[in-house]
Amino acid sequence: MMGMLRMKIGLVIGSVVLSAGLWLGAPATATAAGGGITFEKQKWQHSGPFGTFDRAAMVRGLQVYTEVCAACHSLDLVAFRTLSALGMSEDDVKEFASDYEVEDGPDNEGEMFDREAVPSDYFVAPYANDKAARASNNGAFPPDLSLITKARVGGEDYLYALLTGYEDEPEDFELGDGMAYNKYYSGHQIAMPQPLFEEHVEYDDETEATVEQMSRDVSVFLTWTAEPAMEDRKRMGVKVLIFLGIMLVLLVLVKRRVWSGVH
Ligand code: HEC
């Protein structure tokens, strides 16, 4: 009897350890995005069950977004006040928001008016509407970036690949007017011109602004905008696992106690 029980417990523990091992040790291989396109999986501080966001990278990524991507892409779902998660003080956030103008109103005369943004406002879109966005971008629509890492297969790995994937088109490739060649974009031609070039931004923390570095940083930042509560979710997961582990031990002990007189 005891032998059977030990074997069963052994099996349960074995399979838990094995699946955790498989999960943790998922190899950094290429991911397929459909259409036969593959790209590398990157190592991120925020991946894995204990992963946390790299705050310094998020701050740099915010700078890349505001100085480069924000010219074409909105970030509609992100409120300035949430930037405190990047380690910004209340005053920093106020100052950051005050660089933007938002439309408010109507006032007592029924008129809409512009005012300085405050922390409770959201990032301001670069274009007045979708048609204006398309008109400025060769007919293509630059999607809102708030949830983009959730909206594409491969998430931040794909985003990083896309931003670093610009090159000259092969000789036999017919590139449409105003289009750019990108190794990782489905169909290889994209209406977004290469957005990042060496030293495009000047980082406050003096990190060298290579294309790879800026791509990485903005990918971390946009992973956070898509799932700001990721760290809480992971912490909760670990707590639940610890709880279940203790529960398992207690149940085994109780079971032994209850059955001890039966043999
Ligand atoms: C000059 C305008 C412009 C800038 C600057 C720009 N983009 Fe884009 N982006 C576009 C347009 C236009 C599209 C739509 C492309 C298409 O449909 O072919 C696009 C598409 C995208 C996509 C979606 C790709 C897909 O798989 O559908 C992502 C992600 C993206 N941009 C990220 C960024 C990031 C990050 C930055 C800043 C580093 C940036 N973009 C800067 C114009 C821009």
Side-chain angles (χ1 to χ4, degrees):
M1 272 304 278
M2 281 313 280
M4 276 291 279
L5 180 66
R6 282 220 185 95
M7 213 174 89
K8 273 191 198 152
I9 295 176
L11 274 179
V12 170
I13 294 176
S15 50
V16 169
V17 170
L18 185 69
S19 33
L22 286 177
W23 181 37
L24 288 173
T29 47
T31 309
I37 294 175
T38 56
F39 46 87
E40 291 294 312
K41 257 191 155 176
Q42 305 295 320
K43 285 206 169 71
W44 304 102
Q45 187 188 303
H46 59 253
S47 40
F50 306 107
T52 51
F53 286 121
D54 177 345
R55 292 294 184 284
M58 281 160 75
V59 171
R60 292 193 299 269
L62 168 67
Q63 190 181 348
V64 174
Y65 169 75
T66 43
E67 291 181 17
V68 185
C69 323
C72 304
H73 292 277
S74 56
L75 199 59
D76 287 345
L77 302 180
V78 182
F80 295 121
R81 62 184 161 71
T82 59
L83 293 175
S84 60
L86 277 63
M88 278 163 100
S89 69
E90 219 171 294
D91 286 339
D92 290 347
V93 173
K94 266 190 197 145
E95 198 183 312
F96 185 92
S98 68
D99 284 346
Y100 292 80
E101 282 225 322
V102 290
E103 190 178 61
D104 203 348
D107 61 13
N108 291 339
E109 272 77 53
E111 303 290 338
M112 300 303 280
F113 58 93
D114 287 339
R115 62 162 172 80
E116 222 174 61
V118 294
S120 56
D121 287 312
Y122 287 71
F123 271 88
V124 181
Y127 301 109
N129 52 58
D130 292 4
K131 287 204 171 140
R134 280 186 193 278
S136 305
N137 286 283
N138 209 12
F141 181 69
D144 184 82
L145 294 183
S146 316
L147 298 175
I148 200 76
T149 56
K150 295 275 181 203
R152 293 292 181 276
V153 177
E156 57 273 45
D157 294 319
Y158 168 67
L159 184 56
Y160 176 84
L162 182 77
L163 294 174
T164 53
Y166 285 87
E167 51 183 45
D168 292 337
E169 74 272 24
E171 258 170 37
D172 52 351
F173 193 90
E174 284 255 347
L175 203 58
D177 248 2
M179 303 294 275
Y181 185 84
N182 189 302
K183 293 193 270 201
Y184 301 113
Y185 189 63
S186 122
H188 298 307
Q189 52 176 330
I190 183 162
M192 167 165 73
Q194 178 170 352
L196 295 170
F197 295 92
E198 224 63 10
E199 306 290 335
H200 208 141
V201 303
E202 199 175 313
Y203 282 136
D204 292 338
D205 67 1
E206 292 179 10
T207 302
E208 203 185 330
T210 60
V211 172
E212 288 78 17
Q213 184 69 46
M214 289 180 286
S215 304
R216 253 192 98 75
D217 292 339
V218 79
S219 300
V220 175
F221 174 66
L222 292 175
T223 306
W224 170 76
T225 63
E227 202 189 347
M230 184 203 76
E231 290 172 342
D232 292 339
R233 171 171 66 78
K234 288 185 175 171
R235 264 197 296 270
M236 181 55 84
V238 171
K239 278 186 205 155
V240 168
L241 284 180
I242 292 173
F243 171 78
L244 287 177
I246 295 172
M247 212 39 193
L248 177 72
V249 171
L250 286 178
L251 282 176
V252 169
L253 291 177
V254 168
K255 195 255 172 206
R256 282 191 177 174
R257 191 82 197 262
V258 169
W259 285 77
S260 60
V262 178
H263 305 296

